[in-house]
Amino acid sequence: DTGVSQNPRHKITKRGQNVTFRCDPISEHNRLYWYRQTLGQGPEFLTYFQNEAQLEKSRLLSDRFSAERPKGSFSTLEIQRTEQGDSAMYLCASSLGNRSTYGYTFGSGTRLTVV
Amino acid sequence: AQSVTQPDIHITVSEGASLELRCNYSYGATPYLFWYVQSPGQGLQLLLKYFSGDTLVQGIKGFEAEFKRSQSSFNLRKPSVHWSDAAEYFCAVGARSGGYQKVTFGIGTKLQVIP
């Protein structure tokens, strides 16, 4: 399968714990995006990578959030000191740089529940 | 900044009936427009996209959408709905931001199909 892969699919954590999610984009896609989706809302942009460079971050991404994309391949999103308000679906998407107008390919998401 | 309005949070249609999901966008230039579908607990799948040219675009699963610049609309249609179309549908607008496509989503329309 050459789609976007996200792990884990589900994560339940206690408030105050740190969590890390992983996204493996389509191998030839150089652009990678993280979105967050809460119940009853559409996905909200968090951050964008072109290759290994993080080029844009939303103000939604507080200093407890950090994202990396070492070597321009997979990406990780870490949330430190989780809060109940962090409970959401975290979606990763990728696209080709020179064909980014063709729409994103999304992964199935990681659902985070903070208890 | 671009934005998307989906005025219908929830729509119920009978199987075999026609469907139209409304979408209005706000963007200062010519937009890139998308419709995505999301099944429960899943990521988003691209149904169709508009960038330029013919204002009536065809997508997967028998869906089509029409771009109307004068109305700032991009409504999604299907002539005959199947039970498997029950899902949540998101309209999105893409705009150039720092050399890449930044996609902003609406809050979604949940489609229920009844026998």
Side-chain angles (χ1 to χ4, degrees):
Chain A
D1 182 32
T2 57
V4 177
S5 176
Q6 290 189 248
N7 288 289
R9 289 295 307 276
H10 303 274
K11 178 72 177 178
I12 299 174
T13 190
K14 291 184 178 179
R15 189 174 53 186
Q17 298 294 304
N18 300 343
V19 294
T20 300
F21 312 139
R22 177 177 170 128
C23 171
D24 288 89
I26 293 173
S27 58
E28 62 266 31
H29 285 186
N30 62 340
R31 298 185 175 190
L32 185 146
Y33 315 82
W34 285 98
Y35 279 76
R36 181 175 70 185
Q37 186 179 21
T38 53
L39 205 60
Q41 299 295 319
E44 297 172 293
F45 172 80
L46 290 180
T47 191
Y48 154 67
F49 288 86
Q50 182 167 320
N51 300 312
E52 67 276 11
Q54 187 175 21
L55 297 186
E56 185 168 348
K57 292 194 295 185
S58 163
R59 66 179 185 278
L60 293 175
L61 218 63
S62 75
D63 56 7
R64 296 185 296 106
F65 288 70
S66 62
E68 295 182 340
R69 193 183 181 196
K71 303 179 183 177
S73 56
F74 71 92
S75 175
T76 58
L77 178 68
E78 181 183 15
I79 309 175
Q80 296 182 327
R81 306 180 304 280
T82 52
E83 302 172 356
Q84 287 189 320
D86 297 331
S87 295
M89 174 82 90
Y90 290 84
L91 294 163
C92 175
S94 68
S95 69
L96 273 172
N98 61 351
R99 283 194 276 172
S100 62
T101 53
Y102 283 70
Y104 299 170
T105 301
F106 278 89
S108 297
T110 294
R111 180 166 295 284
L112 172 67
T113 303
V114 181
V115 297
Chain B
Q2 68 269 30
S3 66
V4 175
T5 301
Q6 293 182 251
D8 304 306
I9 304 298
H10 199 125
I11 282 185
T12 301
V13 299
S14 298
E15 190 170 14
S18 63
L19 171 71
E20 183 168 26
L21 302 183
R22 296 184 291 165
C23 171
N24 292 94
Y25 69 90
S26 174
Y27 182 57
T30 300
Y32 298 88
L33 296 162
F34 309 87
W35 275 98
Y36 285 84
V37 60
Q38 185 178 36
S39 298
Q42 299 298 313
L44 284 81
Q45 181 183 21
L46 181 65
L47 282 177
L48 47 76
K49 54 192 178 286
Y50 170 80
F51 304 123
S52 64
D54 194 347
T55 56
L56 184 64
V57 293
Q58 303 296 322
I60 62 172
K61 305 185 180 187
F63 286 93
E64 66 177 27
E66 186 171 12
F67 169 58
K68 292 186 177 180
R69 184 187 300 275
S70 61
Q71 298 176 20
S72 298
S73 70
F74 189 57
N75 294 349
L76 181 71
R77 301 193 293 248
K78 187 169 184 177
S80 177
V81 170
H82 188 262
W83 64 267
S84 60
D85 294 325
E88 191 152 20
Y89 292 80
F90 293 93
C91 181
V93 59
R96 294 201 180 278
S97 172
Y100 76 102
Q101 280 289 330
K102 184 173 182 177
V103 178
T104 300
F105 290 84
I107 65 170
T109 297
K110 188 167 287 188
L111 174 65
Q112 181 181 9
V113 181
I114 58 176

